[in-house]
Amino acid sequence: MPELSQESERGRSAAPFGVAEVTGPSMVPTLYHGDLLLVHYGTRVRPGDVVVLRHPFQQDLLVVKRVAQRRESGWWVLGDNAYAGGDSTDYGVVPDDLVLGRVRFRYRPRGTGRSPWALLGWVLSAARPVFSDRSGRAASRRLRAR
């Protein structure tokens, strides 16, 4: 389950944006271990959005997941990597007050490659927006399977 560094939470005060670091594989291929995220706190969340939330059973742990659907008591969230677990299939619906913000942008730290090709590959993939999956195809396929 991707945890987020606690640095992101300490630095957040009244500012609407903050930075978080991903650890873990549950959002692969959208997000990878070590990615830095620009999080828009307090914004409206819709199905398909990638969000930062407090874990329902361990609220000092921050996680990042994709919102699959709205339920009567909160949000059903899923990781993009179906094999990693650590989402609503394990802990159920996440209450609204535990969803902190929406991920807007992903920045991948530079790798160790020194060749011009490695540098070019990093430049082309290092920073990009994190788009919402409004189609619901991936989430609906996983929801039907459960």
Side-chain angles (χ1 to χ4, degrees):
M1 151 180 1
E3 302 173 19
L4 300 176
S5 71
Q6 294 302 321
E7 293 297 317
S8 61
E9 189 65 12
R10 268 188 240 126
R12 187 179 145 238
S13 56
F17 290 95
V19 176
E21 180 180 359
V22 176
T23 61
S26 79
M27 287 300 290
V28 171
T30 306
L31 303 172
Y32 291 90
H33 178 81
D35 283 353
L36 299 175
L37 307 175
L38 178 66
V39 181
H40 188 182
Y41 292 102
T43 188
R44 193 173 98 178
V45 174
R46 296 180 291 176
D49 290 346
V50 177
V51 297
V52 172
L53 56 106
R54 291 189 184 282
H55 191 283
F57 301 140
Q58 188 179 350
Q59 293 186 9
D60 60 334
L61 177 66
L62 300 178
V63 296
V64 58
K65 298 292 177 199
R66 186 176 302 276
V67 173
Q69 62 182 212
R70 177 75 185 164
R71 301 260 173 116
E72 62 280 348
S73 57
W75 295 100
W76 190 263
V77 296
L78 297 171
D80 286 358
N81 181 352
Y83 301 106
D87 54 24
S88 285
T89 57
D90 295 330
Y91 47 74
V93 175
V94 177
D96 289 320
D97 60 331
L98 296 183
V99 178
L100 302 176
R102 181 176 166 195
V103 174
R104 297 292 186 164
F105 203 75
R106 188 258 311 153
Y107 170 77
R108 185 162 293 146
R110 185 160 184 223
T112 59
R114 295 178 186 247
S115 76
W117 296 113
L119 178 61
L120 178 62
W122 174 78
V123 167
L124 295 175
S125 70
R128 67 174 180 198
V130 176
F131 296 110
S132 297
D133 180 10
R134 300 278 185 237
S135 68
R137 284 177 282 149
S140 65
R141 191 169 51 244
R142 287 192 61 201
L143 289 172
R144 279 196 305 273
R146 304 228 184 272

